[in-house]
Amino acid sequence: MPSTPSREIALSILPHITGFSSMFCSGLIIFDIYHDKRRLKKLYHRLLLALSITDTFTSFSYALSTWPIPLDSPNIYAALGTQATCTAQGFFLQASIATPMYNAMLSIYYLLTVRYGWK
């Protein structure tokens, strides 16, 4: 399907909404875990905390959307950045592999505790 200007605008704006919403919700989880220091003693909460921290960085990178792309890039709506901002966003997007890895660790934790009764 060919790209249209209205589609390009939508694909540029929507990540701002979803990315910042995800950042906010991950921040609430981080706050909730840090609010009660007893939770940091449990492996489940430490895994959830690490997942939320990595998700905050990932969500921020997605929320920036096209803003970090260099200003002189052709056919990119709202490209406002420089090569350095684009590289920084790329770094954080590549580092976002930690988010699904923590999700997998949390799934393994659930498997071991629920199915096999590990404490």
Side-chain angles (χ1 to χ4, degrees):
M1 175 166 45
S3 186
T4 63
S6 59
R7 183 175 181 201
E8 294 293 325
I9 292 170
L11 289 174
S12 174
I13 292 173
L14 287 177
H16 298 305
I17 299 165
T18 58
F20 285 120
S21 299
S22 179
M23 261 180 56
F24 176 73
C25 293
S26 292
L28 289 177
I29 293 171
I30 293 167
F31 175 77
D32 191 47
I33 292 173
Y34 268 122
H35 187 68
D36 186 359
K37 298 294 182 188
R38 293 175 294 158
R39 290 183 177 175
L40 290 174
K41 295 179 182 175
K42 295 185 179 181
L43 178 61
Y44 165 75
H45 288 104
R46 289 193 308 263
L47 285 172
L48 190 60
L49 176 67
L51 173 68
S52 297
I53 290 170
T54 59
D55 185 58
T56 301
F57 287 111
T58 301
S59 298
F60 182 69
S61 296
Y62 282 116
L64 293 177
S65 185
T66 57
W67 291 341
I69 296 174
L71 185 60
D72 58 351
S73 299
N75 302 323
I76 303 292
Y77 178 78
L80 304 172
T82 63
Q83 186 62 43
T85 59
C86 189
T87 302
Q89 183 187 34
F91 169 79
F92 283 108
L93 287 174
Q94 288 298 312
S96 70
I97 189 66
T99 301
M101 292 175 80
Y102 276 115
N103 203 348
M105 286 185 251
L106 201 54
S107 297
I108 292 169
Y109 171 81
Y110 288 141
L111 173 71
L112 293 174
T113 55
V114 174
R115 174 67 175 98
Y116 296 109
W118 283 25
K119 299 279 177 187

